[in-house]
Amino acid sequence: MLFRSASGIVGSAQAATAQAPAAASSQWDLSWVDRVAKAKHRMVFDAGEVEDGTVLFNAWTWLRDYSDVYKADADTAAVMVIRHFAMPIVLGHPIWSRLQLGVETKMKDRATGADLLRNPFIDKPPEQGATVDALIKRGVVVLACNMALMNYVFKYAASEGISNDEARAKVVETLVRGVTLMPSGIFAVSRAQEAGCHYMRSRDRKSTRLNS
């Protein structure tokens, strides 16, 4: 579903006339903004739930179709915002195992029916579908909500009996390489739209919640 305002789809035309934001704090990496703004075709995919990785399929499909139609990969910029309950998509295998995220996400191994103990959205051959790491290698910008991340930091701190600062360092270390933390998912979506992205909410209520 595309986000619309009274004047139509929020996208590049509006961004072109918008006043540039003030200089960013060095705490947050916004280097991706200029890269996105330079592209001709821009889309942000907003994931608030895991949904069997629907956001990955959405981004992969968008890139495939624009490549097929326009033959210009360099003119496309896809942004994925991972926030709220979708955070397990970008957390590493150690966190999936320690916090039993297969239980939280209701995702099971297709072969055994057991709750998954590894992130099923990374480290897969290309023929097995879109993955976070493969999309990042293709140039997709993946932004993660720091507020949502902290929920897992607190859980990890409690499970390990360590301070929140220690837990945060360890959880951040396991993030999929190339993922960029933003203050919040709300900020990330807003900033992507300011850079000219159209908006799509990535949802699939009919997901089977099974993976391998």
Side-chain angles (χ1 to χ4, degrees):
M1 178 180 69
L2 291 176
F3 175 77
R4 293 174 179 268
S5 65
S7 59
I9 298 176
V10 176
S12 56
Q14 179 176 337
T17 59
Q19 183 177 359
S25 165
S26 59
Q27 179 181 356
W28 306 104
D29 179 6
L30 293 178
S31 59
W32 57 273
V33 173
D34 288 341
R35 177 156 55 92
V36 169
K38 291 176 182 178
K40 183 177 181 180
H41 309 290
R42 292 161 281 190
M43 180 70 82
V44 57
F45 301 91
D46 177 22
E49 297 186 32
V50 172
E51 297 283 3
D52 279 356
T54 295
V55 65
L56 307 178
F57 178 74
N58 288 162
W60 179 84
T61 301
W62 184 82
L63 287 169
R64 179 200 64 189
D65 293 350
Y66 267 78
S67 179
D68 288 348
V69 173
Y70 293 107
K71 312 298 181 185
D73 286 353
D75 284 340
T76 60
V79 179
M80 297 192 312
V81 175
I82 310 300
R83 60 179 182 83
H84 206 42
F85 296 125
M87 277 302 295
I89 291 175
V90 296
L91 296 177
H93 299 312
I95 302 301
W96 268 75
S97 177
R98 184 59 178 155
L99 298 185
Q100 298 186 338
L101 296 185
V103 176
E104 176 181 317
T105 60
K106 297 182 173 63
M107 299 193 71
K108 298 183 180 296
D109 189 299
R110 289 185 183 274
T112 67
D115 297 316
L116 286 174
L117 296 176
R118 291 170 58 84
N119 184 339
F121 307 114
I122 58 175
D123 300 333
K124 283 187 174 182
E127 62 270 16
Q128 292 188 20
T131 60
V132 181
D133 43 339
L135 287 170
I136 289 174
K137 288 179 181 178
R138 191 169 175 180
V140 174
V141 175
V142 181
L143 307 176
C145 172
N146 184 64
M147 291 178 64
L149 178 82
M150 291 307 296
N151 290 327
Y152 295 94
V153 168
F154 298 146
K155 291 178 183 179
Y156 189 75
S159 71
E160 301 298 300
I162 58 179
S163 71
N164 290 335
D165 287 343
E166 291 177 292
R168 188 179 193 283
K170 291 182 179 296
V171 173
V172 169
E173 186 179 357
T174 77
L175 283 174
V176 178
R177 186 180 299 274
V179 171
T180 302
L181 279 174
M182 291 285 100
S184 67
I186 294 171
F187 174 87
V189 169
S190 175
R191 194 64 190 89
Q193 289 187 289
E194 287 178 345
C197 288
H198 296 299
Y199 174 91
M200 181 175 182
R201 178 72 181 273
S202 293
R203 303 187 68 179
D204 182 8
R205 292 189 177 277
K206 296 182 179 179
S207 63
T208 61
R209 296 189 179 277
L210 289 174
N211 216 304
S212 60

